[in-house]
Amino acid sequence: MGKFKLSALMLAMFAASSVLAAVESDAQSTVKKPQLEEDLEVIEVRGFSRSLIQSLNQKRFTDTVSEQLSADDLGALPDVSMADALTRLPGISAVRTGGQAAEINIRGMSGGFVFSTLNGREQVSTSGSRSIEFDQYPSELISSAAVYKSPKASLIEGGVAGTVELQTASPLDNDQQHKFVVNARGMYNDRASEVNDATEFGDRISFSYQGKYLDDTLGVALGYARLFQPSVATQFIGLAYNDNKDVDGVANDTNGPELKPENEYISEGFELQHLGGEETRNGYMAAIEWAPVDNFKLKGDVFLSRFDTESFARGLRVKLGGPTATYTNAQLEGNSVVGASVNRTSKGYTRVEIVNDDNQDFDEVDSYGVNADWQVTERLNVNVDVSLSRAKSNFRNGLLWALVAEDASAEEPVLDKNVSINYQLNGLNLPDVGFNQAAAFSDIDRVMVSKYGIYPYQNEDEVSAYRLDFKYELNNSWFSSVEFGARYSDREYSNNRSVFEYGNDGDFSVSEPPLRLTNDMVNVVDWEGDFSYFPSYLAIDLDKALNAWFPEGAPEPVKTWGNADGVVDSQGYTTNYSWTMLQSGSVYEEVLSAYAMLNLNTEIGTMPVLGNIGIRRVDTDQSATILENVNGDLSLGAQNITDSIGIINKNYLPNVLGTTYTDYLPSLNLNFQLTDNTQLRFAAAKVMSRPPINRLAGDASAQADKTSGKINGSSTNNPFLKPFYADQYDISYEHYFDESDGALVIAGFYKNIDSFIDTIAIEGFDFKGNGFNVPDYIENPVSGEQVATTNGTYTTAVNNANGGYIRGIELAYTQVFSFLPAPFDGLGFNGSYSYTESEVESITSLGGETVTQGLPGLSKNVLNGTLFYSLDNFETRLNVRYRSDFVSEQVAINEQVVNFDAETVVDFQTSYQFTDSFGMLLQVNNLTDEPTQSYFGNENITGTTQYFGRQVYLGFTYSH
């Protein structure tokens, strides 16, 4: 892997310094900077109103098109996480996971296009992608947030959709000598009682302290936030249409698959599940600032988050059996079966599994930083920043399958193969279902545990970064200052897969026999509410079942070849587990960037014009480890690769593949001060977002055909993937009301995206030129002659050429009606609407027939409104968030992208301040118990219907 040379950094510094000198030498006169901050009259308000107005002031005076979120104090934001808080901003929506916002979408683009920083520093993720999980960032520890919709050269590159900047406290900036805040809230979920063994109650506790010492030269900030909450849901999940069969018997039927046009598309099956569990998040924040002299400040800060989830999924998983089953009374939507009577055949596998899955997810996020800010002279400022961001995730997916036996007490139990399933999908409503085995699902004399599997997925991601920035004030009629600087980052991502399996999920294994259940292991579970007509089933105590099945202890999962091709001795394994070896590996990424930016401060006639113009150069060196299948050819470097338990495979060559590239990202931001209260912004830029870092992981293979000599290869991921690029334009009209009690903002944007990731076959791929170890000649096994190899086809993930535009408008209106007579002067409204459209479409066949669907994350219509009121010490507000239908990943099924129905989420909050220091708060999230619902391209082909329940918080706040 190549290393960047320091000379590149020095050249960037020299070039930027030359620009500085040239501009200053050409200066003719000085224009006085607009002093809008000093002329602004601000009304003293409290609570939510104050936070809104403070956010508007920050938006007003920033030099980019942005949205701002501000809190009066640490702990003042009421939201469970920063994801919830950010969704209240214009043009921003969230994808709910488990009923809680986790990923945010900006201007119709999914989380993978969103770049995020904490205190100006890049943050890595526990998910293996570029997008961070915002629910891991407690709102109580964040003092402000900004969403930059237009970039500037000094911002770290990476956000095609936008950049989210989170900030923790700077204690020397606090207006009080000492500030102490404590929050304590109890929590209740009203659907938890419907889920057997689910936790109903939780809590949120936080405290923070900010203090200044030594004549205000030393500042200290400390914060802790704990969240313990139940995680519950009741859900139906439709599985993908991954097979076909002629179920209608219609002659000359040509609407089906290309190879068998007489066939109809049939689903894999569906699931009926109860979800339950507990989420525990502990967040820690600390900062220390030292300003021994007026022109120098040194700050160190730490942010830690520990998010642990222990959850279960119980219920029924229906496997319809594919073409082996018989279908009668089939109901069709187009050419896809949405209802039928399905029966198992003698050679089929139609079945109903009683599932008791157990999942554990332990996530860690660490962020450390040291920053030195030195005002060298009245004109020159130097800033140095060193940071480390680290994330770890240990996800353990444990699956326990049970099947129906003819007689569970038999010495050699036999699977009950008399299976008949009736189902009828009802679009976005729950389906009608019926089972001939329904009574057996809760009968301990019929149900037996047939298989246990555990599939851990461990991620580690770490980036260290070094940044140097200069700012020089100019004496110039056009430019107020010049900024230039450089940043170097070194990132390493790794993932490790492992596995343990015992038994069979489709039958009873002879060599690994099923487990006979006892009364102390099970509980009969009935469905309630909307799901009450589904059949009861047995909930199985996982620990008791495993202790009985494995009295000496269940084996730990391992990373192993198993019985893969090339294995010398499989040590008794009969299954190929090579995926645990091939999907484990590391990705390396080094980035050196440099920028130069001129800050504008001039006049056109008598109209002040502010802004900046700049360019950012980015050099990227990326690579990934792979195990390259060379079919045991020693001349190509085949080695004996040993797994974690000593099994040797002789087919593979360890290799490192990657690429380097350079990007230039110009940007322009202009702010025309039309009047004292009105401004017009215009921005243009080229932006980039790197692909998810786990998509760079190498799992490539390349082999030469021994007869023709043609080399072919494949890779699910691709270490050669390039970033997404877009040219974007923004225009924003902003009018701020007199006395700073609100604003009206109208904005438009246009993005032209070059490409997206797609999987295609590349003909004539240069294998050797791209680092593959392939031979020049190969011996024909029949003739014995040497055959020259030629480049063939490489099937892999690539940046395709099918980009397109995304465009839209945003309207935002905020008003504190302070001009109304008392008591109505405490009334206020904050609302926004965005319309987004795109020509970008993708193809899906998850519902059978091939149809187009929109860009993931894009809702054409997004509305957000908050009505609030305050009177003396009382405050209340109601927030409504609506997003129209959109495309995203299927709930509970990774990488299955489906259509989600429109949703409206309502939150309510009220509080009363008994004294200046002590107050009470009541909060209800998801007031209307809005479900998440999805479908496969057509609303009549059901995806998921999932209910989460209402979350009620009641607690107290103390500040002093």
Side-chain angles (χ1 to χ4, degrees):
M1 182 170 55
K3 298 288 185 180
F4 291 115
K5 297 180 180 179
L6 186 61
S7 58
L9 174 63
M10 299 304 296
L11 286 171
M13 295 293 97
F14 177 77
S17 300
S18 300
V19 172
L20 183 157
V23 170
E24 187 169 15
S25 64
D26 290 340
Q28 300 296 322
S29 59
T30 302
V31 175
K32 184 179 180 181
K33 298 180 184 179
Q35 300 296 319
L36 296 177
E37 295 91 334
E38 296 179 3
D39 299 335
L40 184 67
E41 182 181 355
V42 179
I43 291 180
E44 181 63 29
V45 291
R46 301 175 61 183
F48 184 69
S49 299
R50 176 178 175 181
S51 177
L52 274 180
I53 292 176
Q54 187 172 327
S55 299
L56 283 177
N57 285 337
Q58 291 172 345
K59 174 184 175 71
R60 181 174 184 175
F61 297 111
T62 189
D63 55 357
T64 64
V65 177
S66 69
E67 306 296 340
Q68 304 285 331
L69 184 67
S70 176
D72 289 341
D73 298 301
L74 285 178
L77 290 174
D79 305 281
V80 173
S81 73
M82 288 309 300
D84 293 302
L86 290 167
T87 56
R88 307 186 195 284
L89 299 176
I92 299 174
S93 53
V95 178
R96 294 189 296 164
T97 302
Q100 185 169 292
E103 176 189 301
I104 67 168
N105 304 153
I106 299 178
R107 287 181 162 178
M109 302 192 72
S110 61
F113 296 97
V114 177
F115 185 74
S116 301
T117 64
L118 179 68
N119 296 325
R121 302 162 185 141
E122 179 181 5
Q123 295 295 286
V124 295
S125 170
T126 60
S127 67
S129 65
R130 301 280 180 178
S131 57
I132 68 173
E133 286 74 28
F134 284 94
D135 56 354
Q136 294 177 349
Y137 292 78
S139 63
E140 297 94 334
L141 302 183
I142 303 298
S143 58
S144 66
V147 178
Y148 296 103
K149 296 177 176 177
S150 71
K152 57 181 178 179
S154 59
L155 285 177
I156 304 174
E157 73 288 340
V160 166
T163 296
V164 177
E165 162 65 9
L166 306 180
Q167 289 282 347
T168 58
S170 292
L172 288 181
D173 293 336
N174 193 30
D175 56 3
Q176 293 179 256
Q177 200 70 25
H178 299 279
K179 183 70 174 182
F180 186 73
V181 179
V182 178
N183 287 305
R185 300 170 195 171
M187 182 262 187
Y188 169 72
N189 185 295
D190 70 348
R191 271 195 181 262
S193 60
E194 296 182 7
V195 179
N196 183 63
D197 288 340
T199 302
E200 295 185 57
F201 297 95
D203 58 74
R204 286 175 65 191
I205 300 171
S206 68
F207 74 83
S208 62
Y209 167 75
Q210 296 184 73
K212 294 186 284 189
Y213 301 90
L214 303 179
D215 296 326
D216 294 349
T217 61
L218 181 67
V220 176
L222 300 170
Y224 168 73
R226 179 182 187 271
L227 169 70
F228 174 77
Q229 66 178 8
S231 172
V232 299
T234 309
Q235 65 185 22
F236 166 84
I237 299 178
L239 302 180
Y241 286 65
N242 53 13
D243 224 322
N244 60 86
K245 178 184 176 71
D246 185 5
V247 301
D248 62 3
V250 175
N252 302 316
D253 184 357
T254 59
N255 295 322
E258 182 178 351
L259 297 179
K260 296 182 178 181
E262 72 280 4
N263 284 5
E264 284 71 48
Y265 299 101
I266 53 179
S267 168
E268 178 184 344
F270 54 88
E271 299 180 359
L272 312 171
Q273 288 187 341
H274 285 122
L275 306 183
E278 300 171 348
E279 296 177 345
T280 304
R281 182 188 65 199
N282 288 286
Y284 309 86
M285 182 277 300
I288 184 168
E289 280 186 303
W290 182 47
V293 291
D294 291 340
N295 66 334
F296 180 80
K297 181 186 292 185
L298 182 67
K299 180 183 178 183
D301 56 80
V302 177
F303 175 88
L304 308 175
S305 178
R306 303 290 181 265
F307 202 149
D308 299 336
T309 303
E310 299 190 30
S311 61
F312 60 79
R314 298 173 182 155
L316 308 174
R317 180 182 295 119
V318 177
K319 295 288 189 176
L320 293 176
T324 65
T326 62
Y327 283 73
T328 57
N329 300 320
Q331 305 297 312
L332 301 180
E333 176 65 33
N335 208 40
S336 299
V337 177
V338 295
S341 177
V342 184
N343 291 272
R344 180 170 178 146
T345 62
S346 59
K347 296 182 179 180
Y349 59 90
T350 304
R351 64 187 184 272
V352 179
E353 303 166 355
I354 295 91
V355 294
N356 286 262
D357 300 346
D358 176 68
N359 297 321
Q360 297 177 315
D361 193 3
F362 305 104
D363 293 338
E364 300 179 9
V365 174
D366 298 345
S367 182
Y368 307 91
V370 176
N371 183 273
D373 189 81
W374 182 23
Q375 191 67 38
V376 182
T377 68
E378 289 186 359
R379 292 190 175 188
L380 178 63
N381 179 272
V382 179
N383 189 282
V384 180
D385 193 271
V386 179
S387 64
L388 172 68
S389 177
R390 182 170 56 207
K392 295 181 180 181
S393 176
N394 184 359
F395 176 66
R396 297 171 66 87
N397 181 211
L399 307 180
L400 190 74
W401 287 267
L403 299 173
V404 176
E406 293 181 359
D407 181 1
S409 62
E411 185 175 342
E412 294 184 1
V414 176
L415 182 72
D416 182 2
K417 297 182 179 180
N418 179 22
V419 183
S420 179
I421 300 164
N422 293 281
Y423 78 101
Q424 176 65 58
L425 300 182
N426 293 317
L428 297 179
N429 298 314
L430 291 173
D432 299 320
V433 295
F435 308 93
N436 72 319
Q437 296 178 325
F441 298 156
S442 56
D443 187 349
I444 197 172
D445 293 324
R446 299 288 303 280
V447 175
M448 301 191 76
V449 175
S450 66
K451 181 179 178 179
Y452 174 67
I454 185 168
Y455 310 90
Y457 199 129
Q458 295 175 299
N459 285 326
E460 292 191 20
D461 201 353
E462 181 177 303
V463 61
S464 55
Y466 309 87
R467 183 168 178 169
L468 178 63
D469 296 283
F470 298 88
K471 183 176 182 179
Y472 189 81
E473 300 290 337
L474 301 176
N475 183 15
N476 185 274
S477 60
W478 284 91
F479 305 110
S480 61
S481 60
V482 61
E483 297 181 42
F484 56 95
R487 176 181 179 269
Y488 171 77
S489 66
D490 187 359
R491 183 170 186 170
E492 180 176 350
Y493 164 81
S494 64
N495 66 76
N496 279 288
R497 301 301 313 274
S498 53
V499 64
F500 167 72
E501 290 183 323
Y502 184 89
N504 189 329
D505 61 329
D507 204 342
F508 295 144
S509 171
V510 175
S511 59
E512 298 173 335
L515 172 70
R516 173 86 159 95
L517 293 167
T518 57
N519 285 319
D520 63 323
M521 296 182 191
V522 299
N523 213 355
V524 176
V525 175
D526 301 318
W527 298 84
E528 298 182 20
D530 299 330
F531 295 75
S532 60
Y533 63 95
F534 293 157
S536 302
Y537 64 91
L538 290 180
I540 302 172
D541 187 302
L542 180 67
D543 292 333
K544 291 181 179 179
L546 293 182
N547 288 337
W549 219 5
F550 308 103
E552 297 181 358
E556 283 296 310
V558 294
K559 183 167 69 172
T560 180
W561 292 109
N563 189 26
D565 291 341
V567 162
V568 177
D569 177 9
S570 66
Q571 298 185 12
Y573 278 92
T574 58
T575 303
N576 181 347
Y577 290 125
S578 60
W579 57 268
T580 65
M581 298 290 291
L582 301 177
Q583 293 180 21
S584 300
S586 298
V587 176
Y588 309 98
E589 181 180 86
E590 292 182 72
V591 179
L592 176 64
S593 58
Y595 74 95
M597 183 175 74
L598 289 166
N599 294 310
L600 285 80
N601 187 350
T602 187
E603 291 183 353
I604 298 178
T606 59
M607 180 178 62
V609 179
L610 308 175
N612 54 70
I613 182 172
I615 190 167
R616 189 174 186 90
R617 170 180 163 143
V618 185
D619 294 312
T620 303
D621 183 345
Q622 66 187 35
S623 58
T625 61
I626 69 164
L627 291 176
E628 186 180 341
N629 190 344
V630 294
N631 203 31
D633 192 331
L634 295 177
S635 65
L636 297 179
Q639 298 181 17
N640 288 338
I641 309 297
T642 306
D643 66 18
S644 61
I645 58 173
I647 295 177
I648 298 172
N649 193 310
K650 62 181 182 179
N651 275 358
Y652 290 85
L653 162 70
N655 204 349
V656 177
L657 298 176
T659 187
T660 62
Y661 52 89
T662 298
D663 296 298
Y664 293 90
L665 307 174
S667 60
L668 170 69
N669 289 276
L670 297 175
N671 186 348
F672 301 93
Q673 305 284 327
L674 304 179
T675 69
D676 289 344
N677 293 330
T678 305
Q679 56 193 29
L680 180 68
R681 297 183 188 270
F682 172 78
K686 181 179 180 180
V687 291
M688 62 180 282
S689 284
R690 293 186 175 86
I693 197 159
N694 57 2
R695 295 303 306 270
L696 301 177
D699 59 353
S701 64
Q703 290 180 288
D705 184 271
K706 293 183 178 180
T707 302
S708 67
K710 180 168 287 190
I711 301 170
N712 295 308
S714 65
S715 172
T716 304
N717 301 317
N718 185 354
F720 305 108
L721 282 176
K722 297 289 184 68
F724 307 91
Y725 298 101
D727 297 319
Q728 68 174 45
Y729 306 91
D730 290 85
I731 189 166
S732 175
Y733 173 85
E734 303 169 7
H735 176 71
Y736 297 87
F737 304 146
D738 290 335
E739 299 181 341
S740 188
D741 58 0
L744 173 65
V745 178
I746 304 172
F749 65 91
Y750 181 93
K751 297 176 185 285
N752 185 37
I753 298 177
D754 288 348
S755 64
F756 291 92
I757 293 178
D758 199 0
T759 300
I760 66 170
I762 305 173
E763 302 291 343
F765 183 79
D766 184 2
F767 286 91
K768 181 168 290 189
N770 283 291
F772 285 87
N773 197 347
V774 293
D776 294 320
Y777 295 89
I778 194 166
E779 183 178 317
N780 187 303
V782 178
S783 65
E785 296 179 355
Q786 293 290 312
V787 179
T789 58
T790 57
N791 288 322
T793 303
Y794 185 48
T795 304
T796 186
V798 299
N799 301 96
N800 63 30
N802 299 321
Y805 69 75
I806 302 174
R807 61 191 181 193
I809 58 171
E810 296 170 350
L811 307 175
Y813 171 67
T814 300
Q815 180 78 69
V816 179
F817 300 105
S818 55
F819 53 84
L820 295 177
F824 304 106
D825 55 347
L827 187 67
F829 176 77
N830 176 42
S832 65
Y833 167 74
S834 64
Y835 174 83
T836 308
E837 63 179 21
S838 175
E839 66 178 346
V840 178
E841 292 182 331
S842 59
I843 302 296
T844 180
S845 57
L846 293 176
E849 296 182 280
T850 299
V851 297
T852 59
Q853 59 185 11
L855 178 69
L858 188 146
S859 289
K860 282 193 173 182
N861 297 285
V862 176
L863 293 96
N864 194 330
T866 301
L867 184 66
F868 56 93
Y869 177 74
S870 61
L871 177 63
D872 297 328
N873 295 323
F874 171 77
E875 184 173 88
T876 187
R877 62 182 182 266
L878 184 73
N879 175 259
V880 180
R881 303 188 301 279
Y882 167 84
R883 67 178 304 183
S884 58
D885 58 293
F886 62 102
V887 171
S888 188
E889 285 190 357
Q890 171 88 336
V891 174
I893 301 177
N894 288 334
E895 298 180 2
Q896 183 166 292
V897 178
V898 298
N899 299 80
F900 279 78
D901 190 40
E903 62 180 25
T904 301
V905 180
V906 181
D907 296 338
F908 170 76
Q909 179 179 319
T910 187
S911 62
Y912 186 80
Q913 200 71 23
F914 295 102
T915 68
D916 288 343
S917 298
F918 183 70
M920 182 182 73
L921 179 141
L922 171 66
Q923 184 178 353
V924 184
N925 292 341
N926 196 22
L927 185 65
T928 59
D929 194 12
E930 179 78 352
T932 290
Q933 298 177 292
S934 69
Y935 51 91
F936 296 117
N938 183 319
E939 288 188 5
N940 293 318
I941 305 177
T942 313
T944 292
T945 296
Q946 185 178 52
Y947 287 88
F948 312 105
R950 301 171 184 84
Q951 297 88 44
V952 181
Y953 296 87
L954 177 63
F956 300 91
T957 299
Y958 175 80
S959 62
H960 181 70

